[in-house]
Amino acid sequence: MAKKPMKKAAKKSSKPARSAKKPAAAKKTMVAKPSGIVLQSKVRQVSKPRNTGTLSYTQSEFLENIRAFCGLPKRSQAKEVVEDIAAFITESLRKGFKLPLMGLGKLYVRQSKARVGRNPQTGEPVQIPARRRVRFSASKSLKERVL
């Protein structure tokens, strides 16, 4: 049997390999929290929504902003935080508690009364049943900063 010729080893170049170093400004500092979550440095700047026609964030853009504001390394962690907060708010409102959102205002549930409405097409009266509604009361400081 004929032996297969061995391949020659690749020559090492005399040039040193380029290191993939990031510039000093792009480095992110990592901070370990007691809860086991590793945080990056926080970015306290809001990015502009990509779709400027409606001036509203997509869910992906919202999560990216939350990730940057909280200094979380992964978007999945930001999604988990947002889902946990939403579950807490939902459960609290379902039980009838008022939720103070520091610096923003208050979320609460209000009972509306049954009333008689009017069908705009036919003009006939329509009974509107009583129901619970979620309400938000903006704080004075929020109004001063935004409006």
Side-chain angles (χ1 to χ4, degrees), residues 84-99:
D84 289 344
I85 290 172
F88 170 72
I89 289 172
T90 303
E91 199 58 35
S92 298
L93 290 176
R94 183 178 290 137
K95 291 182 180 181
F97 302 138
K98 291 183 181 179
L99 288 173

Side-chain angles (χ1 to χ4, degrees), residues 34-46:
S35 61
I37 298 174
V38 177
L39 301 176
Q40 294 179 349
S41 59
K42 296 179 182 183
V43 177
R44 297 288 185 177
Q45 193 171 12
V46 177

Side-chain angles (χ1 to χ4, degrees), residues 117-130:
R118 190 179 69 86
N119 183 340
Q121 228 173 7
T122 63
E124 67 185 50
V126 177
Q127 277 291 62
I128 301 171

Side-chain angles (χ1 to χ4, degrees), residues 59 62-67 70 72 75-90:
Q59 284 186 2
F62 176 72
L63 287 176
E64 188 58 35
N65 275 307
I66 294 295
R67 185 201 62 75
C70 295
L72 298 170
R75 186 183 288 183
S76 61
Q77 289 175 332
K79 184 176 183 179
E80 189 176 326
V81 167
V82 170
E83 287 172 349
D84 289 344
I85 290 172
F88 170 72
I89 289 172
T90 303

